[in-house]
Amino acid sequence: MNVKEFTAYVKTRQPLNTPEIFRFMDEMSDEARRVTFRLNSAYHTPEEVRALLSELFGYEVPETFRVFPPFYTDFGKNIHVSEGVFINACCHFQDHGGVFIGEGSQIGHNVVFATLNHDPDPEKRAYTYPAPIVLGKKVWVGSNSTILQGVTIGDNSIVAAGAVVTKDVPANTLVGGVPAKIIKNID
């Protein structure tokens, strides 16, 4: 299995439940840790950070992309960032199912993106189900928020600090709470 085959498979949202998939995920996790340990172990200029993240993501990230390390991921090859994205320190990306961050979006400290969910049946608990997380343009995700698998957040929306987003968020909306609910529309 390779990255292209894996990312095509996760788009089907079928369970990740075969020995071949488990081996591939373990190998990719090891590779991601090698890069993130280098990224997080010392100071790096913004250019050096972008170079390490380009290596981690498998494509050249935009020059306008900024990250304040430390940065954590257990896969790395299914994170997609647009121009002008900023990610603050201590964010965690479980990106097997895909994380897509739209232009000009801002991510606060310690945000978690979780694109996998476990099977509720105890006999199948080791199986996980992937689904992408998609942030539109100019989304602001507050510190200590968690975005769960399959969620799309519309353009210009705000996720309040500490929210747990379990459902799609319409454009131009402020959500907050656990689970996140609409607080108000943003004009």
Side-chain angles (χ1 to χ4, degrees):
M1 177 163 279
N2 60 40
V3 171
K4 186 176 181 180
E5 292 167 338
F6 180 82
T7 55
Y9 180 80
V10 297
K11 287 179 183 176
T12 70
R13 299 190 182 194
Q14 295 299 307
L16 305 177
N17 62 356
T18 69
E20 179 185 21
I21 289 173
F22 291 150
R23 264 192 312 279
F24 179 75
M25 289 172 67
D26 284 344
E27 290 167 8
M28 295 307 297
S29 181
D30 285 345
E31 182 179 319
R33 283 196 311 276
R34 281 192 289 277
V35 176
T36 57
F37 285 6
R38 288 183 6 235
L39 173 67
N40 297 333
S41 66
Y43 171 79
H44 299 282
T45 66
E47 295 79 19
E48 292 168 333
V49 170
R50 283 193 302 278
L52 285 163
L53 291 172
S54 293
E55 179 183 343
L56 179 63
F57 296 175
Y59 64 92
E60 188 170 338
V61 299
E63 280 188 36
T64 56
F65 176 47
R66 289 290 306 266
V67 172
F68 287 175
F71 177 90
Y72 305 99
T73 183
D74 57 358
F75 186 60
K77 300 297 189 217
N78 211 356
I79 300 171
H80 309 273
V81 296
S82 301
E83 294 285 340
V85 168
F86 172 73
I87 300 173
N88 219 322
C90 300
C91 290
H92 297 255
F93 285 72
Q94 180 196 56
D95 63 292
H96 294 84
V99 176
F100 301 84
I101 304 176
E103 184 178 323
S105 291
Q106 307 283 308
I107 312 301
H109 291 88
N110 205 39
V111 171
V112 174
F113 293 86
T115 66
L116 298 178
N117 202 356
H118 290 271
D119 195 298
D121 178 350
E123 298 303 315
K124 298 177 184 176
R125 189 74 35 93
Y127 300 172
T128 54
Y129 295 85
I133 295 170
V134 179
L135 274 60
K137 295 178 182 178
K138 297 183 181 177
V139 171
W140 174 21
V141 180
S143 296
N144 296 303
S145 296
T146 298
I147 315 296
L148 296 182
Q149 65 153 178
V151 167
T152 296
I153 300 174
D155 293 349
N156 307 313
S157 290
I158 299 170
V159 175
V164 177
V165 185
T166 61
K167 297 178 184 173
D168 289 353
V169 176
N172 304 302
T173 304
L174 168 64
V175 298
V178 179
K181 296 186 182 339
I182 294 175
I183 296 171
K184 70 176 186 175
N185 291 323
I186 302 168
D187 293 331

